[in-house]
Structure formats: structure tokens, C-alpha cells
Amino acid sequence: MAARHGKVGLPGHNVNALSCALMAEFTDRLQAALGAAYRIERELGGGGMSRVFLAEEIRLARRVVVKVLPPELAAEINVDRFNREVQLLASLQHPHIVPLLAAGGTADVLYYTMPFVEGEPLRTRLARDGELPVRDAVRILADVADALAYAHGRSIVHRDIKPDNVLLSGKHALVADFGVAKAVSQAKGGSQTGLTSVGVSLGTPAYMAPEQAAGDPNIDHRADIYAFGAMAYEMLTGRPPFTSLSPHQMLAAHIADPVEPITDRRPSLPPALADLVMRCLEKNPSDRPQTAAEVQQVLEALGTPSGSLAVTASASATLRHVLQRPRSRRIALGVLAAVIALAGWLALRPAGAAPLDRNRVAIAPFDVLGPELTLWREGLVDVLSRSLDGAGPLRTVSPTLIVRRWSGRADAASAQALGRATGARTVVFGGLVGAGADTVRLTATVLDVAAGTPLGEIELREASARMDRLADSLTVRVLRELGRTQAIGVVRSASLGSKSLPALKAFLQGEQFLRRSEWDSALVLYERAVGLDSGFTLAWSHAGLAAGWQHRAEGDSMYRVYRLVAGRLNHGLAPRDSFAVLAESLTAVVWAGPQQLAGRWWTYGRRVVATLDEAVRRYPNDPELWYMLGDVRHHFGALAGAPPGAALDAFDRAIALDSTFTPSYVHAVGLALARDGPAGARRYGEAFLAAGALGRSAQDTRMILDLLDPKTRPGAIARIVDSSPPDAVIGVWRETNRWVDSGEVLLQVLRAAAAREQAQGKPATYAVFALPAALAARGHVREAYGRASPVPLVIAQLILLGAVPPDSAGRLAAAWVSQPGQGAMFAAPLLAARRDTTALLGMVRTMDQRQQRPLPPQAPPVARDFIGYLAAVTRAYLTLARGDTGAALRQFDAVPDSACYGTCSIDELVHAQLMAARGRHAEAAALLDRPQVGFLPLLPLDVLRALERGRVNERLGNRDKAIAGYTLVAEAWRNADPELNGYVEEARAALARLTGEKRSS
């Protein structure tokens, strides 16, 4: 056929033979260039700028990759100069960078070598799988961003970031060919002529930054950020931003054509991730993230255990819907203006700023010789970190973060890796050895991580009994070395706040137990430390932390005593420690409750949250401060208006910074269980135990995990009830009471515990409140009433649900009118529901008389505020009972609700219902979204609030919030008594209406 058309061709077997001959010839020439140092095994393939071979480096018996530059490029390069450039690049040592080992060649064969990495290129994974799961993509991109941040900090731009140059090995990604483009360019005398066609200097067309495609000779590290964005786009959508174009058309597209929004190709992407990718792909370099470190920070935040990557697919549609509404359009335009202003600010920032902070110092664990010195391997990290922190402009890396990031011995290479991982420009490392019977010798190096050179070498000797003096001497010497190049300011010599070596040792041992949540052992050691040195501030503070966990903070006066003592001694500490002690002493004050603080309770609650907000702003990489913020948000966040999920967000940040600091997991297990169900709880619980957690919190977590598994559940219930410590049931109840499940596992535990108490003739503990509250919250109102003790908080809600006979309800409400305690709080709404205006009028008169009389000496400070609140809200209920809803709403609007101190949930619900009846749906939704104050379990009122939240949000068009509200009702009361059928049917009908799914009974 070919001859008939006048064409001449080679038969297929001849083509193959010729190809094999040429390949063998080239391999022989390469082997000759490599010499006896290497033995070629096979060709791995290649692309773009090189052919790639696998070889064995004979002398070291290791496998290496040999990359060979194209002959047309090799002919233009000075071999010796290329070798020198590669030698400089060989100094790049980073966990996510494949280092260059050597270079060489002849006139027509130029090569360089690198380690052989087990795994596959990202290109192979993409060709096989197409778009990647979001979590896999984020993990890979975070590693690449980490590598870019390190290289850019050393003024090295890759210029050819693409899937072919990213290698996947296990769960890690490594970037190859770093700096090769620059080395080639420099070896040609800086000329870029002719390099475009082979994709070296200008990169690869599919991933090329606009300024790179335009031939700008002054491109900087932001070109890598663009290529990174193009690669991320392909990882998340299965194809790069521009496809099906010739190389020249693709270059033109990068320069002029807009990139299709990534959410148009994959709508389910988390908004933060989609926004990051599109920002990286901005045409103007000043509009992109300005450093790879910024990119890495966003990716690390996305990869937290809270599941922040899981978002709804309707985010873009929701935004478009909101923008169609006139008022929302004005708000959106305002936001857009703010974004434009932010972009302008970013554009004015200096480009290429190094990610290393010259004022940030990391103290590496010291090498120690001798078991008697083992404590000081990490102990010196604690002591020196606190001594140096706050000396002039210096800030030190958190010791817990150091322990997590450190690997290797105390040498320059490991120190540099630590500095790069923590952003510290200065790292102190060294060793400690015995130098006689009672003397130790310390050697230390102060390393400039950016330059890779020491700022100073230090050697000290001291008596082994005076480690405090040795640490102080080392602090002064380090400050002296740093002071040669920057202004440090006043030098302190206070280590951890104690000059007693036995106290220091006890404290440092306590810290190790605290990290594992072993509260008992930690408390014993902290108490020993303060017994040895009564002025040891940090030991007092941490003793309070351990005591609070061990004995339950709200019921243990020693918790408050320890932390208040620490607050009184809070002077002369490093700024970071001073923040922490201040926050802990404020926490102790807030735990005293409104009974003692009255209106100041809100003030102190807001202050403790604000203090820790400021602390993490100043020390954003300190995991312990993030843990403390999560804890106060969990307990007192409502006092400061913290939104739902804020506590778990802080715990996530702490865990991301230091996954081995186990206190961060304890409350996260219960919070994740309530929000995400068993899968979320398992994620945190298993990580908590894997991190080495011990003690009671670990036991509680194991029991919870066993309860979540149907296979181990029966045995777990028996162990909890029969053989666990007396408060184990309460510990499990605290973390699981807001979980609503079809098996009602918590009820199984509480019923068994109450039965055991009754059989043993013990005083009831679980049946007093925990069991009736859990029963009522899950709709078993009849059993709850039969078991309930006269706790008004539960009984009042059962009355509102119709579970209490009318006569009994009337008698209880009438009796509560004259009670000075919590009963009076619930009498008014019950009387209003019965339209008993006579009783309400009498209650108003009683409250007025109490306001006029002096308080008895034993009355708590909160009493005056509480009586004033009751007087105002009772008037509103009286007006409502008379049928004037408009006037009642105005009275509710005027009630000072801050004076109810978290006991006005019923009043808030009634207030919200009145607002909704008058069309004030947005205000009602905001009131119902207000965080609940106090450490309360799930109660029936929470379910009723969820129902009303569903109603008002449905009217507002807030579909997701409405579904969430109705879903809680349907799930919590799925097995409810008949009295609640109306609520459940309404919720199920609404869910069917909103989701389009068939109603289920």
C-alpha cells in the first residue's frame, strides 16, 4: 500500500532493531562517561529535559538515578561550571526534597545523579487514578509546599514544578530536580536562549507562570507558586488548567486567558482549598500567595482531624443565591472591597521574604552521656526555651513542638532540619557529659540556620548539683552570641522560676506525666516541686491543671487554690509563661461561678478567652496554648460568644502542632462524637491512645470506644458498671450525653448503673440527675418522670412536654413561686402556660418585695441580679398569659438576660417564638444560635430549641441550618413516647420537604 502511494517506509521489525541499536549505543556512551564509579542497570524513562537511568553506585553499594541532559543542550554547557553549580545545590537537605548528589559528563553526555526513591511519580498516580481524593491531595501538596518554602528561603527557584518532578514514597511526597534549571542556565553563562524548547529554564508549558511564559528574565519564587497551583488544579480535577493546546497556544493561554474556576470542574471541593488553588493561579505575581510558607500554613490547617475538608457541595450555589438578594449583594460588595484592599496590601509586601524568622530560636534536645543526665536531654529544652523567650525581640519555639519535630543527633544537619521545620533562624544544640564524680561539661553551638554557619561555640563546666546555674550561664552566653548581630535587650537569668534543682527535677518529671494525661502522677510531682520551692510559679499552675482533671475542676477547691497562688506569684516569668499563668488563674476565678461573682462572671469569662486568643496570636505555633484555648472555649466559650465548633477547632490546632500532647484529645473525643458521630470520636480516641495516653482519661476513652462498637458494647457496659472507679460512669456520661443514636447506648449504661446502685443499697447518684435528664432528652418522658427527683431543671421541662399530670404540675409550679432558688426560675413559664394570671401577679409582687428588702448575710452576690431578672421576666409572662403578645415581646426584649446566668433557656425559647410570630425571623434565629452557658447535658429543651431553629431558618431560606435543627428532633426522639409524636411528625415532614426524600416513620 505504501509503494502504491509512492511512499517509502521501513518494516516494523527494522525500526525496532534500529531503535534498540541506538539505545545500546547511547547507554554505552553514558556508561563510558560515568566510568567505573557507576554501573547502569536499566533506563527508567524520561521526558521534558532528560532521559533517566537506574544505576548502582559501586563504592557505596547504593542505587541512584542518573538523569542525562539532551545532547543539543549538553553541547552548549560548560561541564566544569555545571559540576560546580550542582555541588552548590547539593547543600539542599530537606525531608521533601530529593537531593542532588553529583554531576559530570563529556562533551556530548552531561548527567547528574540523585538518590533512587522507592515509589512512583505523581504523574503515574494521576494517569492511573485521575483526580485525587481531597485528603490525599492536601497531604501531597503540603509536602511540596514545605519543600518550596525551604528552597525559596535559600533563594533557589525550581522553575519546573509539575507532577513528573514529584515522587510519592509511602505517605510522603518529595520534589526532584530542584535548582537544575538554574544550574543549566548558569553553566551556559546565564543565557536562556534555546532552552524553551527543551523545557528547562522556562519550565513545562502546561504549568508555566505567565511571567515565565513571557520570557521575563527576572522571575522569582512566585513562578513556582503558580506552577504549584497548576499542578494542584490537575490533582483535584484530573487535568491541568489549559488542555488540548499546542505548546505556543498554551503559553499564550497562561498569559492572557482566565482559568476556569476549579469548583466548576469539582463543586464539592472545600472552599478554602479551592480559593487557595485559584489564588496561586493569579496572572499577577503580587496577587498570589507571596510565600510557599503561606500556602503550607493553609494546607496544614485544612488537614486537621476535625474533618474540615468535608464540606457540602452546595457552597458555590449558596453564595450565588445570597448574592441575588439586594441586601446580601451590598454586604458581598463590601466583602469584595475588603478582599481587593487585602490583595493590594499583599502586592506591597516585599516579594520573596524568607520563611525563617531571625528572632525565633529553637532549643534542640541535648545529647547526654550517662543515665543520671537523661532527664536533662529534654529538660534543658524547657529551661532554656523559657529563659530565652521574651529577651528583647526573641521568641522561642514551644518545647512540645521541638520534641515532636526533632530527629537525629545533636549535630548541624539535624539542627538545620529543626530550624527549617519550625521557622527558627537560630537553633541551639549541644551535648552534656559527666566530667568527674560531681561535675558536668556542657558544649553548645548557636547555629544560623539560613547561613548554615555557627554564630558561636560555648563550653561550660558546673557542679552536677547546680544544673540551674549551668542553665543560667548557658542562657547568658547564648544571648551574648546573638547580641553580636542584633539588639537583644535586657538579659534575664531566671530559668523556670526556681533555683532549686530538686524542685526543677520534680517539675520536669511532672511535665512528662502531664503530656500522657497521667494526672495522678503529675499532681504528686508538682506538689513535691512546690513543697521544695513555695515560690515556683509554674509548678503551682500545672498542679492546678492536673488537680482539675483528676478531681473534676468544678468540684475541687484545690484546683482553684493552686492556680490562684500561681496568679499571685506571676512575675519575672517569660512572656509566654506569664500569659499561660494569667489565663489559668482567671479560669480558676470563673470556675467559682456566678454565685460568687455575680455580673463579674461574664467579665472574667470574656477576659480569660480574650487572654488566650491574644496568647495564640503572639505564639501561633504553641500547642499547649492552643490546648488551653480549646479548654476554656469548651467550658466558658458561651460567656464570650464563641461559636459552635470553636473549641474543637482549637484542639485540632493543638493536635496538628503536637500530636503527642495528649490533653488536647480528651474533650475532643466527646465534641467529635456529638458533631460527627462514632467515626469522629474514633478518629480522636484512637489517636489519643496511640499517642501514649495513660491514666483515667485514657481508661474513659477506651470505654467510650468499646461502647461505640456493637461487638464490644455489652462487655464494655458490664465493665463500666461493675468494675470501674465510682465516677467512671459520670466520666463516660460527660463525653457522650449529647450523642443521639438509635441504640441509645448511654441509656443502657445509666440504667445498668442505677440498677446496680439500687441492688447494693447505695445512695443514688446516677438516678438523681444523669438518668432522668438522658431519658427526657431522648423522648422517654414517662420513665424520666417516674425516676426524676425534684430537680426543677428536669421536672419543668417534663411539665412543658405534657409528661406530668396537670394537678401535679400545678402544685409544683405554685410551690416553686416562693422558692428562692432555681425553682422560681421555672415557675413563671409554667404558670403562663396554664394562664394562671393570679399566681403570676402574686409572683411579681413577691419579687418586687424581695428587691426592696436587704439581702440576708448568707445570700450570694448573684442574688440581687437574679431577683431583678425574675421580676422583669415574670412581668413579661404575666402579659403573655393575659394574651397581649405584642406587649409581652417588648417586655422580653427589655429583659437583661445576662442576669439569668445560663438558666434562662426556656425564656429564650419563648422570646424567640414571640419574635418569629411577629416576623422577626432573623433575630429569632440569632437568639436560638446563642451558645448555651453552663456545663449542661442534652435536655428536652435543647430539642425544642432545635425544632424552633429549624422553623425560623426554613422561613429565612437557610436550608442547611433548618435541616440540622429538624434532624436533631427526628434523631433524638425517634423512640419517643406518644406525647411527643406531634413534634417528631413535624420534623420528619419538614425534612421530607427540604430534602425531597420520602418520609420515614
Side-chain angles (χ1 to χ4, degrees), residues 364-435:
F366 276 60
D367 282 349
V368 296
L369 294 179
E372 72 281 0
L373 299 173
T374 300
L375 174 66
W376 296 103
R377 180 181 185 273
E378 296 175 10
L380 281 172
V381 178
D382 283 295
V383 173
L384 294 177
S385 295
R386 288 179 166 90
S387 295
L388 289 168
D389 187 56
L394 298 184
R395 293 292 182 268
T396 54
V397 179
S398 164
T400 56
L401 186 60
I402 293 289
V403 173
R404 179 188 174 203
R405 297 292 179 91
W406 178 253
S407 62
R409 296 185 58 80
D411 54 30
S414 298
Q416 277 193 290
L418 177 65
R420 291 189 296 268
T422 59
R425 172 74 179 263
T426 304
V427 175
V428 179
F429 66 93
L432 190 66
V433 299

Side-chain angles (χ1 to χ4, degrees), residues 459-478:
E459 181 171 342
L460 298 168
R461 288 177 179 266
E462 186 57 78
S464 55
R466 294 308 308 267
M467 289 296 296
D468 57 328
R469 193 159 61 193
L470 180 68
D472 286 345
S473 299
L474 179 57
T475 301
V476 173
R477 289 288 301 276
V478 170

